[in-house]
DNA sequence: CGGGAATCTGTAACCTTGTTGCATTTTTCC
DNA sequence: GGAAAAATGCAACAAGGTTACAGATTCCCG
C-alpha cells in the first residue's frame, strides 16, 4: 500500500491524499498510475491529452496504461473527455461539468493548449430538437489564448 | 476533356455540369476525381468523411487522392471541414456556412451519420471573449437522428 | 499477516486517420 | 501536337488509439 507513494511522481502529499479519497469513494483500486493521473489532472486548470499527461509524468507509465487509467476513471465518472479540432481527446476531471453537458473549450492555435471557457453559457439546445434526440453537446472554439496574444490588451478591438 | 465523364461514377449529368461549373469558377483543373467528389457532396445533405466519400465512389480513387482533392477544394473555398466527436473530419460544401462559423452538427450514435442542424443559431461567442481571440467556433451534438429513433414521435417525451 | 481471486500493468501487435515523397499520368494553354 | 503545370497512384510513414496476453499488484477474507 505504500508503493502508491512513489516519490518521483510530481504529486504533492495533499494532492495524493485527494486522489486516494476520490478512488476510495468510487471503489476503485488504488494504484500508482491512477494516483498519478488524477494528481496531474487535479493540478491542471485545463483539459489534457494522453500525451500531455504522459509527458507530465515523465513517461514513467506506458501509453496504454494511461489510456486504460483514463478509461477507468471515466467509467467511474471522475473524468470526462472533450473533443477538439485536432483528433485527440482531451481529458478533464468531472467537477464542474460532465461529458454530456460541458462548458465550451478553446484550443489555442499557437500553443496548442485547450482552455476551459467556464464563463460562457453551455446549453444551446435542449434534449430534443426537430426530431433529433440530443444526448451530448459540446462547443469548441479555435483561436488565441491570452498568454499567446500579448497584443490583446494593447489592441483597440 | 471527355475523360472527365467517366460513366461509372455515381454522378448524373446535371450534377456533373454543376461540378464542372464550380471548378471553372474557381480556376481549378477539371479532373475526374474532383468532379466525382464534388458530385458526391452535392448529392449529400450532410457532411461526409473521406472514407464515406471513397465508399460512395466505390474506391475508384486512392485515399490520398480524395484527401488531396478535398484539400484543393477546401483552399478554393468550395468545401470546408467540420469536426465531430470521433476523430475524423467531415467535409461539406461551403454553401450556407463556412469553416469558421458553421451551423451545429449532430452525429447519430446509432447510424454514425453526421447531420446539419441548420435551424439552430450558430453564433455563441463573438470574435473575442475574456482575453481569448476566437477565430472559429463549432457546436457538436451527439444523439439519435430522426431516422434512427422511430419511437421519437410516439414517445410522450 | 498470508494466500488466492480479481484487477491492473507492460509489451507487442494492430487498426484507423491522415500526411509526405516520388515517379507517372492528365490537364491546360499556346 | 507538345511542353509546362498540376494531379494522381503507390509506397511509406506518423500519431492516436485499441486489443491480447502474460506477469505483476491490489484487495479481501480467513
Ligand atoms: Mn473544461
Ligand atoms: Mn453542415
Ligand atoms: Zn496559447
Ligand atoms: Zn441515425
Amino acid at each position: 500500500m505504500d508503493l502508491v507513494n512513489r516519490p518521483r511522481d510530481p504529486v504533492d502529499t495533499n494532492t495524493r491524499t485527494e486522489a486516494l479519497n476520490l478512488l476510495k469513494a468510487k471503489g476503485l483500486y488504488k494504484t500508482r498510475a491512477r494516483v498519478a493521473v488524477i494528481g496531474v489532472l487535479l493540478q491542471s486548470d485545463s483539459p489534457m491529452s494522453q500525451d500531455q499527461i504522459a509527458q507530465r509524468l515523465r513517461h514513467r507509465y506506458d501509453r496504454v496504461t494511461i489510456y486504460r487509467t483514463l478509461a477507468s476513471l471515466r467509467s467511474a465518472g471522475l473524468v470526462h473527455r472533450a473533443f477538439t479540432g485536432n483528433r485527440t481527446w482531451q481529458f478533464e476531471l468531472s467537477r464542474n461539468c460532465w461529458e454530456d453537458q460541458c462548458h465550451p473549450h478553446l484550443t489555442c492555435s499557437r500553443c496548442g493548449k485547450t482552455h476551459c471557457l467556464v464563463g460562457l453559457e453551455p446549453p444551446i439546445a435542449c434534449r430534443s430538437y426537430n426530431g433529433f434526440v440530443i444526448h451530448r453537446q459540446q462547443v469548441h472554439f479555435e483561436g488565441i489564448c491570452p498568454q499567446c496574444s500579448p497584443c490583446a490588451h494593447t489592441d483597440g478591438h
Side-chain angles (χ1 to χ4, degrees), chain A:
Chain A
M1 182 169 289
D2 203 49
L3 287 178
V4 169
N5 300 337
R6 172 138 68 162
R8 289 303 182 95
D9 285 332
V11 176
D12 63 282
T13 310
N14 287 343
T15 309
R16 183 160 46 230
T17 306
E18 194 171 348
L20 288 172
N21 285 341
L22 287 173
L23 290 173
K24 187 175 193 177
K26 295 295 181 179
L28 292 176
Y29 276 31
K30 295 168 201 140
T31 70
R32 274 175 299 187
R34 287 180 183 167
V35 172
V37 168
I38 295 180
V40 167
L41 290 179
L42 276 172
Q43 290 173 344
S44 169
D45 59 343
S46 58
M48 296 179 77
S49 65
Q50 172 273 325
D51 189 57
Q52 290 172 316
I53 295 171
Q55 274 185 260
R56 187 78 211 293
L57 294 174
R58 296 180 191 174
H59 298 281
R60 247 192 301 282
Y61 301 94
D62 193 83
R63 220 158 46 94
V64 181
T65 299
I66 299 205
Y67 276 119
R68 279 193 287 225
T69 297
L70 289 165
S72 310
L73 301 178
R74 201 158 81 92
S75 63
L78 288 176
V79 159
H80 68 272
R81 296 186 302 190
F83 44 76
T84 60
N86 51 52
R87 54 194 202 294
T88 62
W89 293 112
Q90 302 280 130
F91 298 88
E92 66 183 335
L93 293 174
S94 298
R95 288 182 287 191
N96 302 318
C97 64
W98 296 266
E99 190 151 325
D100 56 345
Q101 186 80 15
C102 200
H103 51 241
H105 291 105
L106 180 142
T107 303
C108 177
S109 312
R110 210 157 292 171
C111 67
K113 204 177 154 193
T114 295
H115 300 262
C116 304
L117 267 53
V118 289
L120 287 175
E121 289 287 314
I124 293 95
C126 296
R127 242 189 296 170
S128 101
Y129 167 80
N130 206 17
F132 291 93
V133 180
I134 294 175
H135 290 151
R136 303 182 189 174
Q137 54 182 303
Q138 286 196 15
V139 183
H140 184 251
F141 299 94
E142 270 179 56
I144 307 291
C145 73
Q147 291 82 32
C148 289
S149 67
C151 61
H153 47 84
T154 63
D155 195 8
H157 290 286

